[in-house]
Amino acid sequence: MSQTTRFSVDGMTCGHCVQHVTTELTAIDGVTDVQVELVNGGSSPVVVTSDGPLSDEAIAAAIDEAGYALTPRGSLL
């Protein structure tokens, strides 16, 4: 059964940024789809579809590897 995880990422400003984040997130085991709504210079909503639950640590590591930061939890979608 697929699961949807929603969060936001700070620091993205262009399509190239979105590509980096998407590439890193799709490398997580079980991820089947990634959708990013770019908010230039703001907090961009991200929706990840996966085969099962994703750990916060795996998501944070992927976003960090892409060179961006998760929006603090109190601000998540």
Side-chain angles (χ1 to χ4, degrees):
M1 174 175 245
S2 68
Q3 180 167 340
T4 301
T5 306
R6 291 178 172 83
F7 53 91
S8 295
V9 175
D10 291 337
M12 293 189 287
T13 59
C14 65
H16 191 68
C17 299
V18 171
Q19 181 181 10
H20 279 294
V21 168
T22 300
T23 298
E24 292 299 329
L25 288 170
T26 55
I28 298 173
D29 237 9
V31 170
T32 58
D33 188 50
V34 175
Q35 298 294 318
V36 179
E37 181 185 333
L38 179 63
V39 176
N40 189 344
S43 197
S44 299
V46 179
V47 178
V48 177
T49 305
S50 59
D51 292 332
L54 299 176
S55 73
D56 290 343
E57 293 80 17
I59 292 170
I63 298 303
D64 184 62
E65 182 67 27
Y68 304 95
L70 281 172
T71 302
R73 182 145 311 266
S75 304
L76 293 180
L77 294 174

